[in-house]
Amino acid sequence: RLSYIRHHQQRVLEEDAALMGEDTVADTDNIYLPASFLGSRAWSSNQIADSLAVAGALGNPTFFITMTCNSCWPEIQDRLRPGQTYVDIPLVVVRVFKRKLACLLQCLRSLFPNVGRPVYIIHSIEFQKRGLPHAHILVRYDTDCVL
């Protein structure tokens, strides 16, 4: 797929411009990854636009939460061999973080039982410069009942 994208840049640019309703195609020296490619800049931009549209239609979030991975979590430390650091086992770090994030999201869904389910939960996972993941979470509850 990456080979196709690299060798058919003009076509990829034209298709993405058509999907986004743009008339002009940006000419670039770099390889452009389309919005259909998970993790590309265009894909991220579309995800942010969708999240803003949800928040715009359903109201501002009640909570903005940031969850950061801790390299000292026992699940990570138990997998290290002598002389290793968390940088040497990125797959373990990501799996532990994703599992703990899933637990947090499940907890947020049932945090206020008298309110019921949240109106929306939107999250985005990013990686810090030192390699550890963190997540930004937007949650909207029915504020009349919560506050």
Side-chain angles (χ1 to χ4, degrees):
R1 184 166 181 215
L2 286 173
S3 177
Y4 175 84
I5 291 171
R6 182 177 199 172
H7 292 95
H8 296 89
Q9 278 291 284
Q10 189 62 32
R11 184 175 187 174
V12 168
L13 284 164
E14 289 170 0
E15 289 174 358
D16 241 23
L19 286 173
M20 294 186 189
E22 299 172 0
D23 294 332
T24 59
V25 176
D27 199 17
T28 179
D29 293 333
N30 297 324
I31 295 176
Y32 173 78
L33 295 174
S36 61
F37 192 86
L38 184 71
S40 69
R41 287 184 186 192
W43 175 84
S44 296
S45 178
N46 286 350
Q47 296 296 308
I48 290 169
D50 290 347
S51 297
L52 290 172
V54 167
L58 300 176
N60 291 333
T62 307
F63 298 110
F64 179 87
I65 303 165
T66 300
M67 176 186 170
T68 305
C69 182
N70 184 348
S71 61
C72 295
W73 282 337
E75 297 90 337
I76 295 172
Q77 291 295 312
D78 291 346
R79 301 284 188 258
L80 293 174
R81 293 183 180 158
Q84 283 187 324
T85 65
Y86 69 90
V87 178
D88 298 319
I89 54 169
L91 187 62
V92 172
V93 171
V94 171
R95 285 183 177 179
V96 169
F97 176 77
K98 192 167 182 180
R99 182 65 196 132
K100 288 188 179 270
L101 176 62
C103 290
L104 174 61
L105 294 174
Q106 183 61 37
C107 179
L108 290 172
R109 286 184 186 91
S110 60
L111 189 60
F112 299 108
N114 58 330
V115 177
R117 297 180 64 175
V119 177
Y120 63 78
I121 297 178
I122 300 170
H123 72 277
S124 171
I125 300 172
E126 301 172 349
F127 287 83
Q128 300 167 349
K129 288 184 180 179
R130 61 182 186 196
L132 289 172
H134 67 275
H136 300 290
I137 306 165
L138 301 176
V139 185
R140 175 161 175 84
Y141 292 100
D142 183 5
T143 56
D144 294 336
C145 297
V146 175
L147 300 177

